[in-house]
Structures are given as structure tokens and as C-alpha cells.
Amino acid sequence: MKPNIAIIGAGLAGLTLARELADHANITLFEKARGLGGRMATRRRDRHRWDHGAQFFTARSRAFKTLLRPFIDNGTVVEWRPNITTLSPRQPPYKRPWFEPHYVATPGMNGLLKAMSPGLNIALQTRVDTLKQEAGKWRLFDDQRAELGEFDWVISSAPLPQTEVLLPLAADTYAGFGMRPCYALMLTVNDGDLPAWDAAQVNDSPLRWIAFNHRLPGRDRNFGAVVAHSTADWADAHLEDHQEQVKHTLTEQFCTLTGVSPNAVQDAQLHRWRYAQANAVENDPEGYVLDAERKLAACGDWCLGGRVEAAFTSAHRLAAQLIRQGL
Ligand SMILES: Cc1cc2nc3c(=O)[nH]c(=O)nc-3n(C[C@H](O)[C@H](O)[C@H](O)COP(=O)(O)OP(=O)(O)OC[C@H]3O[C@@H](n4cnc5c(N)ncnc54)[C@H](O)[C@@H]3O)c2cc1C
């Protein structure tokens, strides 16, 4: 009989793991959000769209390229070739081309995850809160104390601080891993009021990245949508500040850096990512956490130093190991 596996989190890592284990186990994915995406997130308001988490990704390994191939062929994933610049408050802008393909999903970054999800058993709006081990099985409960089922294995693909709380693993399991915050500012600005470049790497500022999101492939240029990300240091220092003040400060920074008139900003929204980007990891780690005896495991970008491809690789390596050991 196939084992029952609960996977916590339906971001790229959770979905990759579920797809790769589908022939070997009965899988249930639990996702606390209303939709799929995790940090490959897209916010919509009317016809405006902001990709306020990951803005693009690269694909270096053969395995990740193999996953992407059919989605590139059907237009879900498209190469992005922006006119990219570098901005700093003290220097004139200069062009900084990319030297490897950068990809985006369409019509929003969460489009890739939606395309990966058919056939999977996913419980949305379900936050796993507690695990209890009884008679060799794991019983899961949500935040209302309702039972979610009985499983042989529990695997978390949630960001590190959430995984640490959920999985009863030895404290030193998580040594060497860490995650940092980021603010995402989402502005509504008509395309005609914006500079000619499409995206900017920013130096010496609370902001580190600006993109005119509506100019990404597969978006509608008529609905001007700007995404600006803060540095991790700035987010750390202002994490508990009044959110209206944070929004105001970052909008001012945006206008100063780009020369866009504050009057051209029709609307501003802010998202605080408490766990945005994983710290770099050292010494070529395995890329996942596994306690085979207790049948607990974790994967996700934080196991390999962050970014979209790391989330895929972590789940891909964990799936291979679980299949190798016969689950
Ligand atoms: C602002 C920002 C900018 C970024 N920019 C880039 C970029 O340009 N390029 C790049 O490659 N990467 C970028 N990244 C990183 C990239 O988004 C991540 O590496 C990748 O999406 C992580 O995928 P994951 O599956 O490991 O985790 P996640 O996408 O975080 O998925 C984990 C899921 O677990 C769910 N969850 C958590 N706790 C529970 C629970 N208790 N019960 C149920 N569900 C739960 C969450 O809701 C989430 O959906 C960026 C991230 C952020 C936030």
C-alpha cells in the first residue's frame, strides 16, 4: 500500500515534491493562502497586476530546465529581456545587461504554479498548526484545532521560521540556515509617466530593485504597475514601524530615484515579507532536512540559499532521496 504524505505549503518546492512523489505515495498538500504561489506571488486589483515576490528567475540545472521546457513551449514561461539600468542617489544611471536568460511566468508569476497543479490534491486556506504522533502515524490539526488527517510522513516546504515551529526536529537541524525580510511597494502609475528603462538595480538606497511590472511579457502595458523592493537591512530596521510611514518613505525614495512626479502616483500598496530571502548556505549542503526514522522532512529555497531555482532543486533532491530509500 502506498504511504500517505502530507506536504505543508504549495509554493514551488511543495508542488515540485508532490509531482515527483505522485507515483509513489498518496499526497495531500496543505496551503494556508487562498491561492497558489507562495513567494512567486501576484496581486491583482481590477486589471492591474503586481508580482510582489519573485520578479524573475534563472534556470541553470538540467533538471530545472527539464521542468520548465513544456511550460516554455506553451507560453506559461517566457524569457524576459528588459532594458535594465542601475540607479543610485549619487551617480548617473548606467546600463547593466544580463548575461544569461531570465524568465517570468505569465500572466503573473504564480502562473507557473497554477500550471503545475492540475491533478494534485491541494487543500487551500488550510493552515497546519500542530502535529501529533500516535501509533506510528502523524495526525495534523489546523489553527481551529480541526483534524486534517492521519499521515505516514509529514514534509514541510514552509519558510524556515514556520518550519522550525511546526516540525519537532532537533534544534541543531536548522543551524546554518536563516531568512531575511523585504518590503514590496506596489504603485499604480500610468506608463507614460515612467522612464524609458524597464527595471533597475538600485544601490545605496532603502530600495534595491524597481520594475515596471506591466512591461513584463504577458502583462497589459495599459495598466501601469510598479514594483519596488527594499533591501533586507532596511526592512530589518523598520520591520515594526507604522506601515503607512514605511509606504510613504519608500514611495518618496522611488520618486527621488526615478524622477517620477509624486502626483503621478495614483495609488500605493505595501506588502511586508517577514521571510523573503534565504541567507547563503555554506559547504554544499544536501539541500533538504530529513529524519527518516520519524518520517519528517523539510525542503524549500532556504535549504540551498534562496531563489526560485533553489526551491525546485531542494524539493527535487528530497524526492529523489525518498524514492531511493523506498519512502
Ligand atoms: C520580495 C521577494 C523577491 C524575490 N525575488 C526573487 C527573484 O527575483 N528571483 C528569484 O529566483 N527568487 C526571488 N525570490 C525568492 C523566491 O520567491 C523563493 O525562493 C521561492 O519562491 C521559494 O519557494 P518555496 O516553495 O521554497 O517557498 P514559498 O514560496 O514561500 O512556499 C511556501 C508556502 O508554504 C505556505 N505555508 C507556510 N506555513 C504554512 C502552514 N503552517 N500551513 C500551510 N501552508 C503554509 C505559504 O503560504 C507558502 O505558500 C524573492 C522573494 C521575495 C519575497
Side-chain angles (χ1 to χ4, degrees):
M1 221 170 59
K2 287 182 183 175
N4 292 328
I5 299 184
I7 298 178
I8 303 169
L12 181 61
L15 290 186
T16 299
L17 192 65
R19 283 163 55 107
E20 297 198 6
L21 294 181
D23 291 340
H24 305 269
N26 304 312
I27 312 272
T28 310
L29 280 146
F30 296 104
E31 170 55 56
K32 68 181 167 66
R34 266 184 305 162
L36 300 175
R39 279 170 282 150
M40 294 178 76
T42 306
R43 183 179 293 189
R44 288 173 66 169
R45 186 176 277 185
D46 305 322
R47 294 182 63 186
H48 291 85
R49 280 174 204 268
W50 297 266
D51 299 298
H52 58 297
Q55 284 257 297
F56 57 78
F57 52 90
T58 50
R60 292 173 188 162
S61 70
R62 182 184 298 220
F64 193 41
K65 287 178 184 164
T66 303
L67 168 87
L68 293 179
R69 188 76 262 161
F71 300 115
I72 292 175
D73 289 346
N74 71 15
T76 302
V77 171
V78 179
E79 191 179 340
W80 184 36
R81 297 192 182 123
N83 172 3
I84 190 158
T85 193
T86 301
L87 294 178
S88 142
R90 284 183 283 282
Q91 278 184 329
Y94 58 94
K95 260 187 101 109
R96 191 172 175 275
W98 280 334
F99 296 106
E100 66 180 318
H102 287 57
Y103 297 98
V104 297
T106 64
M109 281 304 277
N110 59 2
L112 173 61
L113 302 197
K114 286 184 183 169
M116 288 171 68
S117 68
L120 300 178
N121 176 21
I122 307 175
L124 292 173
Q125 290 185 281
T126 309
R127 179 193 290 266
V128 178
D129 184 69
T130 320
L131 275 58
K132 280 188 190 156
Q133 199 170 24
E134 273 174 27
K137 301 273 185 192
W138 288 104
R139 291 172 66 202
L140 267 57
F141 298 85
D142 72 8
D143 46 2
Q144 309 297 314
R145 295 172 195 270
E147 180 152 4
L148 298 169
E150 231 178 44
F151 299 90
D152 300 292
W153 275 90
V154 180
I155 304 175
S156 173
S157 71
L160 170 66
Q162 292 160 331
T163 292
E164 274 180 296
V165 172
L166 280 168
L167 295 194
L169 292 172
D172 65 354
T173 310
Y174 303 109
F177 301 117
M179 291 190 79
R180 304 205 62 198
C182 172
Y183 279 111
L185 180 71
M186 293 160 274
L187 304 176
T188 307
V189 185
N190 284 339
D191 189 60
D193 292 325
L194 294 169
W197 46 264
D198 301 317
Q201 227 104 41
V202 185
N203 295 324
D204 310 317
S205 161
L207 294 177
R208 65 171 172 80
W209 170 256
I210 295 171
F212 304 147
N213 210 114
H214 57 291
R215 296 187 195 158
L216 265 64
R219 278 72 172 172
D220 191 333
R221 285 183 77 103
N222 294 317
F223 295 90
V226 175
V227 171
H229 286 151
S230 77
T231 64
D233 283 347
W234 197 88
D236 247 337
H238 298 274
L239 202 59
E240 304 306 334
D241 286 7
H242 197 283
Q243 296 296 284
E244 279 304 312
Q245 184 55 48
V246 170
K247 190 163 76 179
H248 180 74
T249 304
L250 294 181
T251 306
E252 263 184 356
Q253 289 290 328
F254 166 80
C255 290
T256 306
L257 282 160
T258 59
V260 170
S261 161
N263 296 331
V265 177
Q266 297 162 23
D267 186 39
Q269 303 170 66
L270 186 74
H271 185 86
R272 175 173 50 190
W273 292 102
R274 285 188 183 274
Y275 317 118
Q277 244 137 11
N279 295 344
V281 287
E282 285 169 19
N283 303 332
D284 192 20
E286 274 176 319
Y288 51 82
V289 166
L290 178 61
D291 182 338
E293 210 166 298
R294 299 175 74 200
K295 300 194 175 177
L296 293 172
C299 62
D301 66 336
W302 53 270
C303 297
L304 282 168
R307 308 199 81 69
V308 166
E309 183 164 5
F312 165 81
T313 306
S314 169
H316 180 66
R317 287 191 191 169
L318 176 59
Q321 174 58 27
L322 291 172
I323 293 167
R324 231 181 350 254
Q325 69 183 39
L327 296 176

